[in-house]
Amino acid sequence: MARQRQFTVLSRVLHWTMAVLVVAMLLIGVGMVASLGNYHLLVSIHKPLGILILILVAIRLVNRLLNPAPPLPDHMPAWQRLAAKGSHVALYLLMFALPLVGWAMLSAADYPIVLYGSLHLPAILPHDAMLYAGLRKTHTVLAFLLFATFIAHLGAALLHALIHRDGVFDSMAPWKARTTDAVTERVRN
Amino acid sequence: MLRLSAIGVVILAVIGCFAYVGGWLTPGRLTPARFVDKFEQVFGLHPGFRRNHAKGVCIAGYFDGNGRAVRLSRTDIFNAVHVPVIGRFSLAGGDPYAADGPGAVRGMGLSFSLPDGEEWRTAMVDLPVFTVRTAQGFYEQLAASQPDPATGQPDPARLKAFLAAHPETARAMGIIKSQPFSSGFANATFNSLDAFRFVNAAGMPTPVRWSMVPVQPFQPEPAAGAQPQDKNYLFDAVITAIERGPLQWHLIVTVGQPSDPTNDATIPWPANRERIDAGTLTINHVGGEAPGNCRDINFDPLVLPSGIARSDDPLLSPRSAVYSRSFTRRAGEQKQPSAVRVPDTGGGS
């Protein structure tokens, strides 16, 4: 095999697990701030889920450094390569930043950061209302940025899967990519 | 082309789904933001202040549990331990400069800090029952009390229509009016109103309501017109009292029976229910609202330690949501000094 075509199994498991969690998290986030009756339930899910995502993205970053991505198709224009690289960096940064800003803003608001039952996290910032207000706005702005980046990522993934069919989608497909030369052939031509 | 359209449809569907969940497609839906908007419309916008219970003063002290409620709840607060408490006395309503007076509903917010970092926050008022059962009812009551721009007074016809549509409110008002209010903060009983669940070490839940019952002797409120004319007489009296010596309340837990409604704060539980004295609250400091003290704390009734949980009371989650939205708005605003001034005696917290 001349070159690796697919992300490792661990990379793909992490990707799809986090895809579900992050999309759920964004939905819960916009839903809870607009909800009265379900607010408390959704917030009680939002906080531990955010911390879970923070742990997973840290594992994922290490994994990504140890197991680099398969190369993009040779014929891909430079601007697309740049867009792919840039959006992936943005996704990683946002997946780190959102839970950290959330944790920080709850600290500044002097809320206990309850994960489950009596399990809670320590404050990482001093109690300061103005600081809370700024971080709370930042949390919203970053969440919309993450949503926008996710939409771009989804659109690009679907373009690769349905239009270009150049093996880029297959590299992260949840199933095992067709190992035959069909994909490779198409990539080469 | 078909495939390209399919991609477009998927993307639009995802965006549409988020927009729907976020409430952007349903402008009539009652959300925390629209609830807080209504407070601002009714009471005017007072930047930096709570949108409700805007007028207040900070208090601090401690709680000594006595172990008697441990069989119902596993929280350490009810063990024979000494827990620091900070809190706030307040008047209901969104006007931070409202005059103290008879009939003004008084609030006590408390935050108990456990040694392990857990917290219990509770926001109580001196009413025996609440006037509405749901958030929607509260919103409608608030809207009905909005002053008519022409007269500066609420429209009696709207209030009447509200009461006609909400017989539970009319009943609750009857119960509230049948009992005298106390003469001040120090001798007032503050009630959770909402039901909660205590969960003990075996995981067994028990429906409860709680009250802070004063050690200070009850005196009825003077009749309207006979009360002091000073705008802050209720606050000034409690500040003077705390500076003279600590005030105390007993935390009385009322144990509900399966037949007692936990989802309707307008209905009192039968008077013969078991009542447990779970410990004593001592308030020995009072201080004006200032950065980092009770001013910047959200007394969210769903900040609960393990061993106290919410019930199916439909007011609880909306309270948490609306308090949080009010807190977020005021946190970022320029703060104005409170109308309640505390003489500087080195007290406060």
Side-chain angles (χ1 to χ4, degrees):
Chain A
M1 195 170 75
R3 49 204 249 172
Q4 169 206 3
R5 278 193 303 272
Q6 225 179 357
F7 282 92
T8 63
V9 173
L10 176 61
S11 301
R12 282 180 290 141
V13 167
L14 281 169
H15 171 273
W16 288 102
T17 307
M18 289 195 69
V20 172
L21 296 183
V22 168
V23 172
M25 193 65 173
L26 287 167
L27 260 177
I28 290 170
V30 288
M32 73 189 199
V33 295
S35 169
L36 289 166
N38 293 318
Y39 172 80
H40 182 253
L41 173 70
L42 294 174
V43 171
S44 309
I45 299 171
H46 195 79
K47 290 179 198 174
L49 192 52
I51 296 303
L52 178 63
I53 290 174
L54 181 61
I55 293 167
L56 286 176
V57 76
I59 294 170
R60 195 163 163 200
L61 180 65
V62 173
N63 176 62
R64 174 75 179 237
L65 297 174
L66 295 177
N67 298 302
L72 292 167
D74 298 334
H75 61 80
M76 198 187 246
W79 72 267
Q80 280 187 18
R81 289 169 182 278
L82 196 67
K85 182 94 183 160
S87 64
H88 290 153
V89 170
L91 284 170
Y92 270 86
L93 284 177
L94 289 167
M95 286 189 294
F96 269 109
L98 268 158
L100 285 174
V101 170
W103 186 353
M105 85 188 196
L106 293 177
S107 307
D110 198 28
Y111 286 119
I113 302 141
V114 178
L115 296 184
Y116 185 78
S118 60
L119 180 66
H120 57 271
L121 296 174
I124 52 174
L125 281 181
H127 183 193
D128 182 326
M130 277 290 179
L131 187 58
Y132 161 74
L135 289 166
R136 177 67 189 75
K137 281 202 184 79
T138 307
H139 196 68
T140 301
V141 170
L142 292 181
F144 279 105
L145 275 177
L146 178 56
F147 181 65
T149 319
F150 156 66
I151 288 292
H153 183 77
L154 174 66
L158 290 172
L159 280 175
H160 283 291
L162 299 176
I163 310 282
H164 302 321
R165 292 194 271 176
D166 53 5
V168 170
F169 182 83
D170 300 80
S171 69
M172 193 47 105
W175 51 82
K176 193 155 173 59
R178 288 159 294 164
T179 51
T180 61
D181 303 319
V183 171
T184 330
E185 278 311 305
R186 204 176 291 121
V187 171
R188 295 246 165 89
N189 297 333
Chain B
M1 200 58 216
L2 187 66
R3 286 184 167 148
L4 205 56
S5 323
I7 294 174
V9 168
V10 169
I11 296 286
L12 283 177
V14 173
I15 293 173
C17 176
F18 272 73
Y20 174 76
V21 171
W24 291 289
L25 305 182
T26 47
R29 195 165 107 198
L30 189 54
T31 63
R34 289 176 194 129
F35 220 112
V36 176
D37 290 344
K38 184 53 81 181
F39 273 105
E40 292 174 0
Q41 288 160 19
V42 172
F43 294 103
L45 179 60
H46 302 286
F49 288 101
R50 282 168 165 80
R51 286 347 189 218
N52 194 11
H53 286 263
K55 184 182 186 183
V57 72
C58 293
I59 53 176
Y62 47 88
F63 179 78
D64 293 292
N66 55 27
R68 274 178 233 155
V70 169
R71 69 183 168 87
L72 297 183
S73 169
R74 61 174 170 248
T75 177
D76 234 4
I77 292 168
F78 299 138
N79 272 313
V81 292
H82 183 81
V83 196
V85 173
I86 66 169
R88 184 172 180 268
F89 284 129
S90 62
L91 283 192
D95 178 2
Y97 309 107
D100 299 355
V105 174
R106 296 163 223 156
M108 175 193 253
L110 297 173
S111 169
F112 302 67
S113 297
L114 279 85
D116 73 348
E118 281 189 286
E119 270 189 59
W120 177 28
R121 296 185 188 174
T122 175
M124 300 165 286
V125 293
D126 67 341
L127 296 175
V129 288
F130 202 49
T131 53
V132 293
R133 197 182 80 79
T134 63
Q136 183 69 35
F138 194 100
Y139 184 84
E140 288 170 22
Q141 187 184 38
L142 193 58
S145 70
Q146 186 164 356
D148 185 328
T151 62
Q153 294 294 320
D155 178 353
R158 285 185 75 185
L159 281 171
K160 220 176 129 187
F162 169 78
L163 287 175
H166 291 271
E168 75 281 10
T169 303
R171 268 199 309 275
M173 303 276 250
I175 295 167
I176 291 166
K177 285 187 183 136
S178 71
Q179 305 180 3
F181 280 90
S182 75
S183 60
F185 280 103
N187 58 3
T189 296
F190 296 95
N191 302 301
S192 71
L193 304 182
D194 293 311
F196 291 79
R197 282 180 304 133
F198 277 4
V199 182
N200 68 11
M204 192 190 74
T206 308
V208 296
R209 286 174 174 174
W210 58 74
S211 304
M212 282 291 179
V213 177
V215 170
Q216 294 70 237
F218 180 83
Q219 276 191 307
E221 184 170 60
Q227 84 277 10
Q229 290 307 300
D230 188 86
K231 280 184 74 166
N232 293 335
Y233 74 94
L234 287 172
F235 284 100
D236 290 345
V238 76
I239 291 165
T240 308
I242 295 171
E243 286 177 347
R244 232 179 1 240
L247 300 179
Q248 290 192 313
W249 282 261
H250 289 290
L251 173 61
I252 303 295
V253 176
T254 304
V255 182
Q257 293 296 312
S259 57
D260 298 335
T262 53
N263 62 355
D264 192 340
T266 67
I267 298 179
W269 285 354
N272 62 0
R273 290 293 175 256
E274 182 188 5
R275 289 158 62 90
I276 300 172
D277 180 350
T280 307
L281 171 73
T282 303
I283 296 298
N284 59 358
H285 283 294
V286 60
E289 293 189 289
N293 69 6
C294 85
R295 188 195 74 178
D296 296 334
I297 294 208
N298 169 11
F299 292 97
D300 177 341
L302 289 181
V303 170
L304 300 170
S306 173
I308 305 179
R310 73 183 175 131
S311 68
D312 59 349
D313 191 321
L315 285 170
L316 283 171
S317 178
R319 279 179 74 189
S320 186
V322 175
Y323 285 34
S324 166
R325 177 57 54 142
S326 159
F327 178 72
T328 298
R329 284 200 190 166
R330 68 189 171 85
E333 294 165 345
Q334 218 43 251
K335 309 295 186 294
Q336 309 296 320
S338 166
V340 181
R341 299 299 173 86
V342 179
D344 184 15
T345 56
S349 72

